[in-house]
Amino acid sequence: MDLKGRAALVTGGASGIGAAAVRRLAKAGAVVAVADRDDAAARALADEVGGLALPGDVSDLDTMTMAVDVAEDSFGRLNVVLLNAGVTAGQSGTENLDLAGYRRIMGVNVDHVVFGLTAAVPALRRAGGGTILATASLAGLVPMPGDALYTLTKHAVVGYVRAAAPELAKEGIRVNAVCPGFADTPLIAPARPQFGDFPLLTAEDVADAVEAVLERGEPGECWFVQPGREPAPYGFRGVPGPKGGAAPPDVSWRDH
């Protein structure tokens, strides 16, 4: 992967998968902006890779817009945006709903991806194209029993990526998702003893997948990442259409 002369922005970039991706992008020659709520950690990693620290809450629209604007202004362009920040729910989501916790996971896992993509698109247009990659999860492809809210948010990211990709691809902007299984990162640290000998991904495994998607991904693909397997696009099964084989209409709700 050769990213010399390219600029990247990584959210949730100060630890775990985000930090591994920041280092991988920088090693490939990109200048990288590290966006994270942990100001000190973001600055430490940005100093390490010669990049830029952007502290703030990614679930806030103004924060995401400013992060994209500052990164583009500082680097002169923006080519790669990795929307990686994520949290878990800490509740079942099926009873005794904690509204604040629900709003938090929706804000970070869903709103941040929407805010980040919509902010990044104009910058990538100005750069002549680029890639937006969202970190979803295997829970975006299959249900995760016991964590309905996390499953909800990651299914939303996968659907959003797949629906946004075709139109943006016409402008040279590729949109993808990476869908890791359980990874040994701070996100699962509280539950780490429960996994026992279950094989876990490392942050580097997911960075490998990020690199693979950037190198050879096709618009709208959502790549699974599992221990011991090569990352690859997930093969979604086609949903049966109307009887008789009629093609679906090309409808834009903006026209209505």
Side-chain angles (χ1 to χ4, degrees):
M1 184 168 65
D2 183 3
L3 295 178
K4 292 182 180 67
R6 303 297 178 92
L9 167 66
V10 180
T11 65
S15 66
I17 292 168
V22 167
R23 293 187 175 100
R24 188 68 61 92
L25 294 167
K27 184 177 180 180
V31 286
V32 188
V34 183
D36 202 285
R37 289 187 72 187
D38 189 335
D39 187 357
R43 292 183 187 282
L45 183 55
D47 288 345
E48 175 190 326
V49 301
L52 173 69
L54 298 172
D57 182 353
V58 297
S59 66
D60 178 73
L61 174 59
D62 291 340
T63 296
M64 285 306 304
T65 302
M66 185 178 298
V68 169
D69 289 346
V70 172
E72 185 186 22
D73 288 346
S74 298
F75 299 147
R77 63 188 301 157
L78 195 57
N79 309 97
V80 176
V81 177
L82 173 55
L83 301 171
N84 167 76
V87 296
T88 55
Q91 57 178 317
S92 72
T94 57
E95 58 182 343
N96 301 322
L97 186 69
D98 171 21
L99 183 58
Y102 170 70
R103 295 297 183 202
R104 177 63 183 158
I105 192 172
M106 291 297 292
V108 176
N109 290 9
V110 179
D111 294 349
H112 135 254
V113 174
V114 176
F115 297 161
L117 184 144
T118 55
V121 164
L124 268 58
R125 282 186 182 132
R126 288 189 286 271
T131 301
I132 301 170
L133 179 58
T135 302
S137 166
L138 211 62
L141 305 176
V142 296
M144 183 183 292
D147 206 336
L149 293 183
Y150 188 76
T151 300
L152 164 69
T153 63
K154 295 306 183 177
H155 269 66
V157 170
V158 166
Y160 182 62
V161 163
R162 297 182 70 205
E167 287 298 314
L168 291 173
K170 298 173 184 177
E171 302 183 65
I173 299 172
R174 180 157 53 93
V175 184
N176 294 107
V178 61
C179 302
F182 292 110
D184 195 1
T185 67
L187 196 65
I188 70 162
R192 180 64 179 84
Q194 300 175 32
F195 285 89
D197 294 331
F198 185 86
L200 298 174
L201 294 163
T202 67
E204 287 298 323
D205 291 331
V206 185
D208 289 342
V210 168
E211 182 171 342
V213 175
L214 290 176
E215 284 190 303
R216 59 182 186 273
E218 295 293 330
E221 289 179 341
C222 301
W223 285 48
F224 68 84
V225 192
Q226 286 281 60
R229 296 183 181 274
E230 286 294 317
Y234 182 70
F236 293 91
R237 294 182 62 183
V239 177
K243 195 169 183 178
D250 185 10
V251 175
S252 171
W253 297 111
R254 292 169 294 185
D255 298 333
H256 298 273

